[in-house]
Amino acid sequence: MKKKAMGNSVEKTDFQIAFGRQIEKFRTEQNLSYRQLAQRCDIDHSNISKIEKGEINIQLSSVLQLAKGLSISPKELFDFNFDLGDVIS
């Protein structure tokens, strides 16, 4: 059981990293600094960096704020490939 729990933790981290890359992609495409995006989102600039690196797990309300700050639909933030592997049966 421990191995499975550990695997779930790795999958969550991998997903957070993939999500963070999406944030970074949209931010850099718009030539925004961490601070500029943070001001648009009302999220601390240090947290923008942590989100992009997959270091923190954010709430849905933060997803909405990020989407607003990037002037995109929230669903665009989740439009990336992520292999669920054996998770889906």
Side-chain angles (χ1 to χ4, degrees), residues 35-81:
R35 286 187 188 276
Q36 290 169 322
L37 179 57
Q39 289 172 343
R40 290 181 175 194
C41 299
D42 196 29
I43 295 175
D44 189 81
H45 75 277
S46 65
N47 284 337
I48 300 291
S49 173
K50 290 175 187 173
I51 292 166
E52 288 185 2
K53 293 175 186 172
E55 293 176 353
I56 57 174
N57 194 3
I58 63 173
Q59 297 181 351
L60 286 173
S61 57
S62 297
V63 172
L64 180 61
Q65 289 301 107
L66 287 163
K68 285 181 177 180
L70 293 165
S71 302
I72 60 173
S73 166
K75 84 175 189 179
E76 290 181 76
L77 294 177
F78 293 101
D79 189 15
F80 57 88
N81 292 326

Side-chain angles (χ1 to χ4, degrees), residues 17-32 37 52 70 72 76-81:
I17 291 168
F19 179 81
R21 286 184 185 139
Q22 279 291 94
I23 301 295
E24 182 181 24
K25 179 185 93 169
F26 286 111
R27 179 182 62 78
T28 56
E29 283 175 357
Q30 296 180 32
N31 296 314
L32 296 172
L37 179 57
E52 288 185 2
L70 293 165
I72 60 173
E76 290 181 76
L77 294 177
F78 293 101
D79 189 15
F80 57 88
N81 292 326

Side-chain angles (χ1 to χ4, degrees), residues 10-16 18-19 80-85 87:
V10 170
E11 289 166 5
K12 287 179 185 177
T13 302
D14 291 344
F15 187 79
Q16 287 172 206
F19 179 81
F80 57 88
N81 292 326
F82 186 76
D83 184 16
L84 293 175
V87 175

